[in-house]
Amino acid sequence: MQDALFYVFAFLTLVFGFLVIANPFSRNPVTSAMFLVLTIVSLAGLFVLLHAFFLAAVQVLVYAGAVMVLFLFVIMLLDLKAEERRKIKVLGLVGGLVSVGTILIIFLSSLLNAPLGAAESPVLDGGTVRLGRLLFTEYLLPFEIVSVLLLVAMVGVVLLSKKDLK
Amino acid sequence: MNVGLEHYLVVSVLLFCLGLLGVIVRRNLLIIYMSLELMLNAANLALVAFSRFNNNLDGQVFVFFSITVAAAEVSVGLALIVALYRKRRTAHVEDLTTMKL
């Protein structure tokens, strides 16, 4: 059952991910954003299969909720029309495909030869209690630093959105 | 065949390559940004899979931090895109070649 679900979610993730970058039916950025939401939700399904329940919830809340709403707001703000079909540079396309294919081959061959050291029967459970305890004891300092980082990002965004940018 | 660590890693690698292809091939700034998000998510999937199959929760804590940093990064990056669009009225990388000779 779980194996079948893994294949379903993996397939959905990859198909939606492909539709984000190359949608044959629409050049509109809004459809790309919507397919990115679907990709993220199916990734959250994979997280649930990996027993990372808290992270699956955070993935849906933060990514599919906050980040994608931000994306849609910006698309709305820029008022982008479905962009006219520009001539795709064949050289750029071929170069991109070749370089990405090379990187894919390097990744997969190193994956085949790597001593992964995986446990035969994983027992880890990423529930909220264990993760929260770890976050507030061992990782307390990074946690606080991340909160400062969010504050800095907020100040930076407010400064950047001012009307007369120097 | 049982689904193991390798299966998740293969999915993660493929998703990362899709994101990289989007960054290289697409010419719209916003879609390039979405492809960056795809790559970040692929890395997150690999981290969660490693943490599950090595019985170590540190990987999930790392993913928590990376999601937070990604949220901050998206907000700053989108603000930059909006500021750029205000000045240049375009979100297309081929029109933004000021430093090109």
Side-chain angles (χ1 to χ4, degrees):
Chain A
M1 178 62 189
Q2 290 217 346
D3 290 0
L5 275 179
F6 165 77
Y7 286 113
V8 169
F9 279 124
F11 178 74
L12 284 180
T13 306
L14 292 176
V15 168
F16 290 143
F18 180 77
L19 287 175
V20 172
I21 63 160
N23 193 338
F25 305 111
S26 160
R27 305 280 290 176
N28 201 330
V30 177
T31 47
S32 285
M34 284 308 172
F35 279 118
L36 187 54
V37 172
L38 289 176
T39 312
I40 284 163
V41 170
S42 27
L43 264 179
L46 284 180
F47 282 4
V48 170
L49 287 180
L50 285 167
H51 290 239
F53 305 116
F54 177 70
L55 282 180
V58 165
Q59 177 94 351
V60 171
L61 285 179
V62 174
Y63 259 116
V67 169
M68 292 320 294
V69 166
L70 203 61
F71 262 107
L72 288 176
F73 261 116
V74 168
I75 291 172
M76 211 169 64
L77 208 64
L78 298 193
D79 192 23
L80 294 175
K81 306 286 181 296
E83 60 179 300
E84 73 276 28
R85 222 168 247 285
R86 299 203 183 199
K87 206 166 57 184
I88 296 177
K89 287 196 178 118
V90 181
L91 193 66
L93 190 62
V94 170
L97 280 175
V98 167
S99 53
V100 170
T102 316
I103 285 178
L104 185 64
I105 290 169
I106 291 171
F107 270 150
L108 289 180
S109 63
S110 63
L111 191 60
L112 281 179
N113 300 320
L116 288 174
E120 282 307 311
S121 56
V123 291
L124 186 76
D125 187 33
T128 316
V129 175
R130 284 192 60 194
L131 203 60
R133 190 162 290 144
L134 202 58
L135 209 55
F136 284 107
T137 53
E138 204 177 328
Y139 291 96
L140 186 59
L141 182 64
F143 187 78
E144 298 294 337
I145 292 174
V146 156
S147 65
V148 177
L149 174 76
L150 285 176
L151 178 70
V152 169
M154 198 174 75
V155 172
V157 169
V158 169
L159 193 70
L160 277 174
S161 335
K162 287 208 321 187
K163 202 73 187 171
D164 45 345
L165 199 59
K166 297 274 186 322
Chain B
M1 187 179 172
N2 249 345
V3 169
L5 178 54
E6 298 86 0
H7 295 72
Y8 285 98
L9 289 183
V10 167
V11 174
S12 163
V13 163
L14 289 176
L15 197 62
F16 185 87
C17 285
L18 274 179
L20 189 59
L21 192 65
V23 170
I24 293 177
V25 172
R26 292 305 298 261
R27 286 286 165 264
N28 189 323
L29 266 182
L30 281 166
I31 292 181
I32 288 176
Y33 226 71
M34 289 179 204
S35 307
L36 280 179
E37 293 303 306
L38 275 186
M39 290 160 77
L40 272 171
N41 272 303
N44 283 351
L45 178 64
L47 278 171
V48 174
F50 273 124
S51 119
R52 161 88 172 150
F53 285 95
N54 287 317
N55 285 328
N56 190 342
L57 211 54
D58 291 352
Q60 297 198 10
V61 177
F62 199 85
V63 171
F64 177 81
F65 287 128
S66 98
I67 287 178
T68 320
V69 172
E73 171 244 330
V74 163
S75 61
V76 174
L78 287 178
L80 278 174
I81 289 178
V82 169
L84 192 65
Y85 187 82
R86 274 209 202 115
K87 251 195 160 51
R88 311 286 297 274
R89 315 303 303 172
T90 179
H92 209 270
V93 287
E94 279 170 358
D95 300 334
L96 301 168
T97 51
T98 316
M99 288 176 77
K100 208 171 171 182
L101 284 175

mmCIF file of all heavy atoms in Angstrom, chain A residues 78-123:
data_model
loop_
_atom_site.group_PDB
_atom_site.id
_atom_site.type_symbol
_atom_site.label_atom_id
_atom_site.label_comp_id
_atom_site.label_asym_id
_atom_site.label_seq_id
_atom_site.Cartn_x
_atom_site.Cartn_y
_atom_site.Cartn_z
ATOM 1 N N LEU A 78 2.454 42.871 -11.136
ATOM 2 C CA LEU A 78 3.186 43.180 -12.347
ATOM 3 C C LEU A 78 2.271 43.200 -13.554
ATOM 4 O O LEU A 78 2.651 43.717 -14.600
ATOM 5 C CB LEU A 78 4.289 42.148 -12.593
ATOM 6 C CG LEU A 78 5.375 42.026 -11.554
ATOM 7 C CD1 LEU A 78 6.521 41.215 -12.103
ATOM 8 C CD2 LEU A 78 5.873 43.372 -11.118
ATOM 9 N N ASP A 79 1.078 42.590 -13.433
ATOM 10 C CA ASP A 79 0.107 42.587 -14.519
ATOM 11 C C ASP A 79 0.727 42.026 -15.794
ATOM 12 O O ASP A 79 0.709 42.643 -16.850
ATOM 13 C CB ASP A 79 -0.418 44.012 -14.755
ATOM 14 C CG ASP A 79 -1.631 43.986 -15.671
ATOM 15 O OD1 ASP A 79 -2.273 42.940 -15.724
ATOM 16 O OD2 ASP A 79 -1.898 45.006 -16.321
ATOM 17 N N LEU A 80 1.332 40.832 -15.660
ATOM 18 C CA LEU A 80 1.955 40.201 -16.813
ATOM 19 C C LEU A 80 0.886 39.564 -17.669
ATOM 20 O O LEU A 80 0.077 38.790 -17.199
ATOM 21 C CB LEU A 80 2.937 39.128 -16.356
ATOM 22 C CG LEU A 80 4.154 39.598 -15.592
ATOM 23 C CD1 LEU A 80 4.954 38.416 -15.117
ATOM 24 C CD2 LEU A 80 5.002 40.473 -16.477
ATOM 25 N N LYS A 81 0.888 39.886 -18.909
ATOM 26 C CA LYS A 81 0.023 39.163 -19.830
ATOM 27 C C LYS A 81 0.686 37.820 -20.132
ATOM 28 O O LYS A 81 1.873 37.630 -19.841
ATOM 29 C CB LYS A 81 -0.130 39.955 -21.132
ATOM 30 C CG LYS A 81 -0.605 41.363 -20.927
ATOM 31 C CD LYS A 81 -2.090 41.395 -20.570
ATOM 32 C CE LYS A 81 -2.561 42.814 -20.387
ATOM 33 N NZ LYS A 81 -1.925 43.506 -19.266
ATOM 34 N N ALA A 82 -0.090 36.899 -20.684
ATOM 35 C CA ALA A 82 0.527 35.676 -21.173
ATOM 36 C C ALA A 82 1.550 36.096 -22.222
ATOM 37 O O ALA A 82 1.212 36.699 -23.226
ATOM 38 C CB ALA A 82 -0.515 34.760 -21.790
ATOM 39 N N GLU A 83 2.813 35.822 -21.904
ATOM 40 C CA GLU A 83 3.867 36.419 -22.719
ATOM 41 C C GLU A 83 3.810 35.891 -24.145
ATOM 42 O O GLU A 83 3.491 34.725 -24.372
ATOM 43 C CB GLU A 83 5.232 36.140 -22.103
ATOM 44 C CG GLU A 83 5.538 34.674 -21.992
ATOM 45 C CD GLU A 83 6.900 34.458 -21.394
ATOM 46 O OE1 GLU A 83 7.875 34.932 -21.980
ATOM 47 O OE2 GLU A 83 7.003 33.812 -20.366
ATOM 48 N N GLU A 84 4.086 36.764 -25.070
ATOM 49 C CA GLU A 84 4.068 36.343 -26.466
ATOM 50 C C GLU A 84 5.203 35.350 -26.695
ATOM 51 O O GLU A 84 6.225 35.387 -26.002
ATOM 52 C CB GLU A 84 4.219 37.559 -27.383
ATOM 53 C CG GLU A 84 5.599 38.164 -27.424
ATOM 54 C CD GLU A 84 5.856 39.139 -26.284
ATOM 55 O OE1 GLU A 84 5.249 38.999 -25.208
ATOM 56 O OE2 GLU A 84 6.685 40.026 -26.472
ATOM 57 N N ARG A 85 4.973 34.449 -27.606
ATOM 58 C CA ARG A 85 5.948 33.408 -27.863
ATOM 59 C C ARG A 85 7.179 34.008 -28.517
ATOM 60 O O ARG A 85 7.119 34.447 -29.657
ATOM 61 C CB ARG A 85 5.314 32.368 -28.768
ATOM 62 C CG ARG A 85 5.623 30.971 -28.373
ATOM 63 C CD ARG A 85 4.729 30.030 -29.138
ATOM 64 N NE ARG A 85 3.798 29.355 -28.252
ATOM 65 C CZ ARG A 85 4.144 28.380 -27.440
ATOM 66 N NH1 ARG A 85 5.390 27.982 -27.389
ATOM 67 N NH2 ARG A 85 3.256 27.797 -26.677
ATOM 68 N N ARG A 86 8.248 34.058 -27.777
ATOM 69 C CA ARG A 86 9.482 34.537 -28.397
ATOM 70 C C ARG A 86 10.170 33.369 -29.053
ATOM 71 O O ARG A 86 9.910 32.210 -28.736
ATOM 72 C CB ARG A 86 10.406 35.126 -27.335
ATOM 73 C CG ARG A 86 9.781 36.299 -26.635
ATOM 74 C CD ARG A 86 10.860 37.164 -26.046
ATOM 75 N NE ARG A 86 10.235 38.246 -25.306
ATOM 76 C CZ ARG A 86 10.866 39.340 -24.984
ATOM 77 N NH1 ARG A 86 12.102 39.519 -25.328
ATOM 78 N NH2 ARG A 86 10.258 40.283 -24.305
ATOM 79 N N LYS A 87 11.056 33.691 -29.942
ATOM 80 C CA LYS A 87 11.787 32.629 -30.600
ATOM 81 C C LYS A 87 12.733 32.005 -29.581
ATOM 82 O O LYS A 87 13.576 32.695 -28.990
ATOM 83 C CB LYS A 87 12.567 33.197 -31.781
ATOM 84 C CG LYS A 87 12.811 32.158 -32.849
ATOM 85 C CD LYS A 87 13.280 32.794 -34.142
ATOM 86 C CE LYS A 87 14.528 33.600 -33.899
ATOM 87 N NZ LYS A 87 14.997 34.320 -35.045
ATOM 88 N N ILE A 88 12.551 30.733 -29.327
ATOM 89 C CA ILE A 88 13.432 30.054 -28.395
ATOM 90 C C ILE A 88 14.760 29.807 -29.074
ATOM 91 O O ILE A 88 14.817 29.287 -30.195
ATOM 92 C CB ILE A 88 12.811 28.728 -27.927
ATOM 93 C CG1 ILE A 88 11.538 29.014 -27.157
ATOM 94 C CG2 ILE A 88 13.779 27.964 -27.062
ATOM 95 C CD1 ILE A 88 10.820 27.763 -26.727
ATOM 96 N N LYS A 89 15.815 30.196 -28.383
ATOM 97 C CA LYS A 89 17.130 30.008 -28.983
ATOM 98 C C LYS A 89 17.504 28.538 -28.917
ATOM 99 O O LYS A 89 17.582 27.951 -27.839
ATOM 100 C CB LYS A 89 18.156 30.851 -28.246
ATOM 101 C CG LYS A 89 18.005 32.322 -28.560
ATOM 102 C CD LYS A 89 19.250 33.087 -28.140
ATOM 103 C CE LYS A 89 19.111 34.540 -28.498
ATOM 104 N NZ LYS A 89 19.135 35.411 -27.327
ATOM 105 N N VAL A 90 17.744 27.952 -30.084
ATOM 106 C CA VAL A 90 18.017 26.511 -30.141
ATOM 107 C C VAL A 90 19.317 26.201 -29.414
ATOM 108 O O VAL A 90 19.420 25.212 -28.692
ATOM 109 C CB VAL A 90 18.080 26.050 -31.612
ATOM 110 C CG1 VAL A 90 18.340 24.558 -31.673
ATOM 111 C CG2 VAL A 90 16.790 26.394 -32.309
ATOM 112 N N LEU A 91 20.286 27.108 -29.568
ATOM 113 C CA LEU A 91 21.585 26.870 -28.945
ATOM 114 C C LEU A 91 21.440 26.813 -27.424
ATOM 115 O O LEU A 91 21.986 25.924 -26.760
ATOM 116 C CB LEU A 91 22.546 27.984 -29.354
ATOM 117 C CG LEU A 91 24.011 27.704 -29.039
ATOM 118 C CD1 LEU A 91 24.501 26.532 -29.873
ATOM 119 C CD2 LEU A 91 24.851 28.927 -29.305
ATOM 120 N N GLY A 92 20.667 27.779 -26.880
ATOM 121 C CA GLY A 92 20.469 27.794 -25.429
ATOM 122 C C GLY A 92 19.753 26.545 -24.955
ATOM 123 O O GLY A 92 20.121 25.960 -23.924
ATOM 124 N N LEU A 93 18.727 26.111 -25.705
ATOM 125 C CA LEU A 93 17.968 24.919 -25.314
ATOM 126 C C LEU A 93 18.853 23.686 -25.314
ATOM 127 O O LEU A 93 18.875 22.907 -24.351
ATOM 128 C CB LEU A 93 16.796 24.747 -26.274
ATOM 129 C CG LEU A 93 15.768 23.689 -25.876
ATOM 130 C CD1 LEU A 93 15.125 24.049 -24.565
ATOM 131 C CD2 LEU A 93 14.731 23.540 -26.954
ATOM 132 N N VAL A 94 19.639 23.533 -26.403
ATOM 133 C CA VAL A 94 20.505 22.355 -26.504
ATOM 134 C C VAL A 94 21.567 22.388 -25.412
ATOM 135 O O VAL A 94 21.837 21.379 -24.745
ATOM 136 C CB VAL A 94 21.141 22.291 -27.907
ATOM 137 C CG1 VAL A 94 22.214 21.227 -27.943
ATOM 138 C CG2 VAL A 94 20.078 21.993 -28.944
ATOM 139 N N GLY A 95 22.160 23.580 -25.206
ATOM 140 C CA GLY A 95 23.180 23.687 -24.163
ATOM 141 C C GLY A 95 22.616 23.353 -22.799
ATOM 142 O O GLY A 95 23.252 22.641 -22.014
ATOM 143 N N GLY A 96 21.420 23.861 -22.510
ATOM 144 C CA GLY A 96 20.802 23.575 -21.219
ATOM 145 C C GLY A 96 20.529 22.098 -21.050
ATOM 146 O O GLY A 96 20.841 21.508 -20.010
ATOM 147 N N LEU A 97 19.973 21.473 -22.095
ATOM 148 C CA LEU A 97 19.659 20.047 -21.998
ATOM 149 C C LEU A 97 20.917 19.217 -21.791
ATOM 150 O O LEU A 97 20.943 18.305 -20.970
ATOM 151 C CB LEU A 97 18.928 19.591 -23.257
ATOM 152 C CG LEU A 97 17.433 19.912 -23.304
ATOM 153 C CD1 LEU A 97 16.852 19.519 -24.647
ATOM 154 C CD2 LEU A 97 16.701 19.185 -22.201
ATOM 155 N N VAL A 98 21.973 19.570 -22.535
ATOM 156 C CA VAL A 98 23.214 18.791 -22.419
ATOM 157 C C VAL A 98 23.800 18.935 -21.023
ATOM 158 O O VAL A 98 24.180 17.939 -20.380
ATOM 159 C CB VAL A 98 24.223 19.243 -23.493
ATOM 160 C CG1 VAL A 98 25.603 18.689 -23.181
ATOM 161 C CG2 VAL A 98 23.775 18.785 -24.854
ATOM 162 N N SER A 99 23.854 20.177 -20.512
ATOM 163 C CA SER A 99 24.481 20.356 -19.198
ATOM 164 C C SER A 99 23.650 19.695 -18.108
ATOM 165 O O SER A 99 24.200 19.030 -17.213
ATOM 166 C CB SER A 99 24.679 21.840 -18.911
ATOM 167 O OG SER A 99 23.472 22.520 -19.071
ATOM 168 N N VAL A 100 22.317 19.833 -18.190
ATOM 169 C CA VAL A 100 21.488 19.209 -17.159
ATOM 170 C C VAL A 100 21.569 17.684 -17.254
ATOM 171 O O VAL A 100 21.635 16.985 -16.236
ATOM 172 C CB VAL A 100 20.034 19.699 -17.284
ATOM 173 C CG1 VAL A 100 19.121 18.906 -16.402
ATOM 174 C CG2 VAL A 100 19.948 21.155 -16.911
ATOM 175 N N GLY A 101 21.627 17.152 -18.503
ATOM 176 C CA GLY A 101 21.758 15.708 -18.648
ATOM 177 C C GLY A 101 23.067 15.207 -18.067
ATOM 178 O O GLY A 101 23.103 14.164 -17.411
ATOM 179 N N THR A 102 24.146 15.973 -18.275
ATOM 180 C CA THR A 102 25.434 15.572 -17.714
ATOM 181 C C THR A 102 25.381 15.536 -16.195
ATOM 182 O O THR A 102 25.855 14.588 -15.557
ATOM 183 C CB THR A 102 26.519 16.560 -18.171
ATOM 184 O OG1 THR A 102 26.342 16.827 -19.550
ATOM 185 C CG2 THR A 102 27.885 15.985 -17.927
ATOM 186 N N ILE A 103 24.771 16.586 -15.618
ATOM 187 C CA ILE A 103 24.675 16.623 -14.156
ATOM 188 C C ILE A 103 23.826 15.467 -13.650
ATOM 189 O O ILE A 103 24.140 14.837 -12.632
ATOM 190 C CB ILE A 103 24.107 17.984 -13.718
ATOM 191 C CG1 ILE A 103 25.177 19.042 -13.866
ATOM 192 C CG2 ILE A 103 23.636 17.943 -12.286
ATOM 193 C CD1 ILE A 103 24.720 20.408 -13.525
ATOM 194 N N LEU A 104 22.758 15.127 -14.400
ATOM 195 C CA LEU A 104 21.898 14.005 -14.016
ATOM 196 C C LEU A 104 22.684 12.707 -14.013
ATOM 197 O O LEU A 104 22.586 11.901 -13.080
ATOM 198 C CB LEU A 104 20.729 13.926 -14.991
ATOM 199 C CG LEU A 104 19.650 12.892 -14.693
ATOM 200 C CD1 LEU A 104 18.959 13.232 -13.404
ATOM 201 C CD2 LEU A 104 18.655 12.840 -15.812
ATOM 202 N N ILE A 105 23.518 12.517 -15.048
ATOM 203 C CA ILE A 105 24.310 11.279 -15.118
ATOM 204 C C ILE A 105 25.292 11.216 -13.956
ATOM 205 O O ILE A 105 25.459 10.171 -13.305
ATOM 206 C CB ILE A 105 25.046 11.212 -16.468
ATOM 207 C CG1 ILE A 105 24.036 10.967 -17.587
ATOM 208 C CG2 ILE A 105 26.080 10.110 -16.466
ATOM 209 C CD1 ILE A 105 24.594 11.137 -18.960
ATOM 210 N N ILE A 106 25.930 12.373 -13.640
ATOM 211 C CA ILE A 106 26.883 12.388 -12.525
ATOM 212 C C ILE A 106 26.172 12.031 -11.226
ATOM 213 O O ILE A 106 26.632 11.198 -10.430
ATOM 214 C CB ILE A 106 27.544 13.778 -12.423
ATOM 215 C CG1 ILE A 106 28.460 14.011 -13.612
ATOM 216 C CG2 ILE A 106 28.348 13.887 -11.149
ATOM 217 C CD1 ILE A 106 28.973 15.419 -13.685
ATOM 218 N N PHE A 107 25.009 12.642 -10.989
ATOM 219 C CA PHE A 107 24.241 12.377 -9.773
ATOM 220 C C PHE A 107 23.905 10.893 -9.658
ATOM 221 O O PHE A 107 24.130 10.260 -8.627
ATOM 222 C CB PHE A 107 22.932 13.173 -9.801
ATOM 223 C CG PHE A 107 23.035 14.540 -9.200
ATOM 224 C CD1 PHE A 107 22.232 15.560 -9.667
ATOM 225 C CD2 PHE A 107 23.903 14.797 -8.174
ATOM 226 C CE1 PHE A 107 22.310 16.817 -9.130
ATOM 227 C CE2 PHE A 107 23.994 16.049 -7.628
ATOM 228 C CZ PHE A 107 23.193 17.069 -8.112
ATOM 229 N N LEU A 108 23.347 10.334 -10.757
ATOM 230 C CA LEU A 108 22.850 8.969 -10.673
ATOM 231 C C LEU A 108 23.987 7.979 -10.515
ATOM 232 O O LEU A 108 23.872 7.008 -9.769
ATOM 233 C CB LEU A 108 22.018 8.644 -11.922
ATOM 234 C CG LEU A 108 20.674 9.366 -11.966
ATOM 235 C CD1 LEU A 108 19.912 8.992 -13.221
ATOM 236 C CD2 LEU A 108 19.829 9.054 -10.755
ATOM 237 N N SER A 109 25.125 8.231 -11.210
ATOM 238 C CA SER A 109 26.228 7.275 -11.077
ATOM 239 C C SER A 109 26.810 7.334 -9.671
ATOM 240 O O SER A 109 27.161 6.305 -9.091
ATOM 241 C CB SER A 109 27.302 7.555 -12.119
ATOM 242 O OG SER A 109 27.855 8.818 -11.894
ATOM 243 N N SER A 110 26.887 8.559 -9.098
ATOM 244 C CA SER A 110 27.404 8.622 -7.730
ATOM 245 C C SER A 110 26.414 7.996 -6.760
ATOM 246 O O SER A 110 26.796 7.409 -5.748
ATOM 247 C CB SER A 110 27.693 10.071 -7.340
ATOM 248 O OG SER A 110 26.513 10.805 -7.342
ATOM 249 N N LEU A 111 25.117 8.080 -7.083
ATOM 250 C CA LEU A 111 24.106 7.469 -6.228
ATOM 251 C C LEU A 111 24.240 5.949 -6.249
ATOM 252 O O LEU A 111 24.113 5.280 -5.224
ATOM 253 C CB LEU A 111 22.729 7.894 -6.722
ATOM 254 C CG LEU A 111 21.540 7.579 -5.832
ATOM 255 C CD1 LEU A 111 21.725 8.270 -4.506
ATOM 256 C CD2 LEU A 111 20.277 8.058 -6.493
ATOM 257 N N LEU A 112 24.531 5.404 -7.444
ATOM 258 C CA LEU A 112 24.644 3.946 -7.559
ATOM 259 C C LEU A 112 25.836 3.417 -6.775
ATOM 260 O O LEU A 112 25.793 2.319 -6.233
ATOM 261 C CB LEU A 112 24.783 3.554 -9.034
ATOM 262 C CG LEU A 112 23.487 3.541 -9.829
ATOM 263 C CD1 LEU A 112 23.761 3.160 -11.269
ATOM 264 C CD2 LEU A 112 22.504 2.567 -9.216
ATOM 265 N N ASN A 113 26.929 4.211 -6.732
ATOM 266 C CA ASN A 113 28.155 3.718 -6.109
ATOM 267 C C ASN A 113 28.310 4.138 -4.659
ATOM 268 O O ASN A 113 29.294 3.798 -4.029
ATOM 269 C CB ASN A 113 29.370 4.203 -6.905
ATOM 270 C CG ASN A 113 29.324 3.716 -8.332
ATOM 271 O OD1 ASN A 113 28.943 2.577 -8.578
ATOM 272 N ND2 ASN A 113 29.679 4.572 -9.269
ATOM 273 N N ALA A 114 27.331 4.898 -4.134
ATOM 274 C CA ALA A 114 27.521 5.443 -2.799
ATOM 275 C C ALA A 114 27.150 4.414 -1.743
ATOM 276 O O ALA A 114 26.170 3.692 -1.894
ATOM 277 C CB ALA A 114 26.663 6.687 -2.624
ATOM 278 N N PRO A 115 27.944 4.319 -0.673
ATOM 279 C CA PRO A 115 27.527 3.504 0.462
ATOM 280 C C PRO A 115 26.499 4.285 1.278
ATOM 281 O O PRO A 115 26.851 5.141 2.091
ATOM 282 C CB PRO A 115 28.834 3.285 1.235
ATOM 283 C CG PRO A 115 29.671 4.449 0.874
ATOM 284 C CD PRO A 115 29.238 4.947 -0.470
ATOM 285 N N LEU A 116 25.236 4.018 1.073
ATOM 286 C CA LEU A 116 24.200 4.873 1.664
ATOM 287 C C LEU A 116 24.023 4.604 3.158
ATOM 288 O O LEU A 116 23.653 5.487 3.912
ATOM 289 C CB LEU A 116 22.869 4.664 0.937
ATOM 290 C CG LEU A 116 22.862 5.266 -0.458
ATOM 291 C CD1 LEU A 116 21.581 4.912 -1.181
ATOM 292 C CD2 LEU A 116 22.972 6.773 -0.367
ATOM 293 N N GLY A 117 24.295 3.361 3.592
ATOM 294 C CA GLY A 117 24.191 3.071 5.018
ATOM 295 C C GLY A 117 22.798 3.235 5.563
ATOM 296 O O GLY A 117 22.582 3.758 6.651
ATOM 297 N N ALA A 118 21.798 2.836 4.778
ATOM 298 C CA ALA A 118 20.427 2.998 5.221
ATOM 299 C C ALA A 118 20.032 1.870 6.156
ATOM 300 O O ALA A 118 20.431 0.730 5.968
ATOM 301 C CB ALA A 118 19.498 3.021 4.013
ATOM 302 N N ALA A 119 19.253 2.207 7.167
ATOM 303 C CA ALA A 119 18.746 1.195 8.077
ATOM 304 C C ALA A 119 17.724 0.332 7.343
ATOM 305 O O ALA A 119 16.996 0.814 6.478
ATOM 306 C CB ALA A 119 18.125 1.846 9.294
ATOM 307 N N GLU A 120 17.707 -0.962 7.698
ATOM 308 C CA GLU A 120 16.796 -1.858 6.994
ATOM 309 C C GLU A 120 15.345 -1.546 7.347
ATOM 310 O O GLU A 120 14.470 -1.516 6.508
ATOM 311 C CB GLU A 120 17.132 -3.312 7.333
ATOM 312 C CG GLU A 120 18.336 -3.842 6.578
ATOM 313 C CD GLU A 120 18.219 -3.657 5.075
ATOM 314 O OE1 GLU A 120 17.174 -4.008 4.524
ATOM 315 O OE2 GLU A 120 19.167 -3.134 4.469
ATOM 316 N N SER A 121 15.115 -1.333 8.626
ATOM 317 C CA SER A 121 13.744 -1.052 9.046
ATOM 318 C C SER A 121 13.718 0.269 9.793
ATOM 319 O O SER A 121 14.024 0.326 10.981
ATOM 320 C CB SER A 121 13.228 -2.165 9.953
ATOM 321 O OG SER A 121 14.109 -2.304 11.035
ATOM 322 N N PRO A 122 13.428 1.361 9.089
ATOM 323 C CA PRO A 122 13.446 2.674 9.742
ATOM 324 C C PRO A 122 12.361 2.764 10.802
ATOM 325 O O PRO A 122 11.228 2.338 10.596
ATOM 326 C CB PRO A 122 13.188 3.641 8.593
ATOM 327 C CG PRO A 122 12.562 2.835 7.536
ATOM 328 C CD PRO A 122 13.080 1.448 7.679
ATOM 329 N N VAL A 123 12.729 3.316 11.956
ATOM 330 C CA VAL A 123 11.766 3.427 13.049
ATOM 331 C C VAL A 123 11.540 4.878 13.432
ATOM 332 O O VAL A 123 10.769 5.163 14.349
ATOM 333 C CB VAL A 123 12.245 2.647 14.289
ATOM 334 C CG1 VAL A 123 12.192 1.165 14.017
ATOM 335 C CG2 VAL A 123 13.629 3.079 14.671
#
